[in-house]
Amino acid sequence: AGDADRTVVLEGAGREVRLELPSANAAADALAGFRLIVAERRPGNSPRKRPPPPSPPASPPSSPPPPSSPPPPDADAVADAVAELEKQLLLERANNQKMMLQMLEMQNDVNRSSAKIVELKQEAAGLRSQLVARDRMHADDARMRLQLGKRLQQLVFDNAALRRTCDDLERNSQKTY
């Protein structure tokens, strides 16, 4: 509970800044100062007086006095700190937008590459089927050439046999005349 009393949390635009202060009084003073600065920066609001810091809880007389806390930050220092935080916030937003743009471009590149991969896979599948068809056609052609070669060889043998028969018949017919 002691740490929570000494912590000031500033939240906004998805970011959180935690300030650890030496005492609960310093945290209350800083919080009051931040509230005053935020109120002054809102349009239509006139500057208000700083609210008095809350009174510290009464401590038993036997306890030693609390250690002296550093003086509360003045309004200019707090305004400078807030301005610096706003500057850093704008810089972070710009960097975040750049990174988001880069990520979007990279995602587009990935999508284009994925589409190209799918296209190339389809082309490779088509080429494989063409290769299989050509191999099948080549095998059919080779089989046909072998059959035609055997048939030609048989016809050559038959032709030679018929020529011999023809020659024999011619010789026999010439002998008989």
Side-chain angles (χ1 to χ4, degrees):
D3 285 343
D5 293 338
R6 299 179 322 153
T7 302
V8 175
V9 179
L10 302 174
E11 295 178 342
R15 296 193 64 156
E16 179 179 276
V17 176
R18 290 182 177 272
L19 300 173
E20 295 288 330
L21 298 165
S23 69
N25 288 340
D29 288 343
L31 189 57
F34 284 133
R35 286 182 180 147
L36 179 66
I37 290 169
V38 169
E40 287 175 357
R41 288 183 167 252
R42 287 194 180 132
N45 286 347
S46 61
R48 293 185 298 175
K49 281 191 139 187
R50 186 173 173 186
S55 61
S59 59
S62 63
S63 68
S68 64
S69 62
D74 63 342
D76 290 337
V78 171
D80 290 344
V82 169
E84 182 64 30
L85 287 174
E86 286 175 348
K87 220 189 291 184
Q88 287 178 350
L89 178 64
L90 290 175
L91 180 65
E92 289 297 323
R93 282 183 182 162
N95 288 340
N96 188 23
Q97 288 176 349
K98 286 178 188 175
M99 287 178 53
M100 292 297 284
L101 183 60
Q102 287 175 346
M103 286 175 51
L104 183 61
E105 289 173 356
M106 289 170 48
Q107 185 63 40
N108 288 340
D109 290 345
V110 167
N111 290 343
R112 279 192 293 272
S113 297
S114 296
K116 184 70 174 178
I117 288 171
V118 168
E119 181 183 314
L120 290 173
K121 282 182 179 180
Q122 290 172 346
E123 185 180 339
L127 290 174
R128 267 192 229 105
S129 66
Q130 285 179 359
L131 183 61
V132 167
R134 283 185 185 165
D135 286 346
R136 195 175 311 125
M137 187 176 69
H138 180 68
D140 291 344
D141 288 349
R143 196 173 319 113
M144 183 63 75
R145 273 185 264 136
L146 183 63
Q147 289 173 355
L148 289 174
K150 287 180 181 178
R151 171 93 183 200
L152 180 63
Q153 185 179 14
Q154 185 62 40
L155 288 174
V156 167
F157 289 148
D158 290 347
N159 189 16
L162 287 173
R163 282 182 191 252
R164 278 193 303 271
T165 306
C166 231
D167 287 343
D168 288 343
L169 286 174
E170 242 180 69
R171 270 187 248 135
N172 282 341
S173 71
Q174 287 178 356
K175 285 186 188 178
T176 55
Y177 291 119

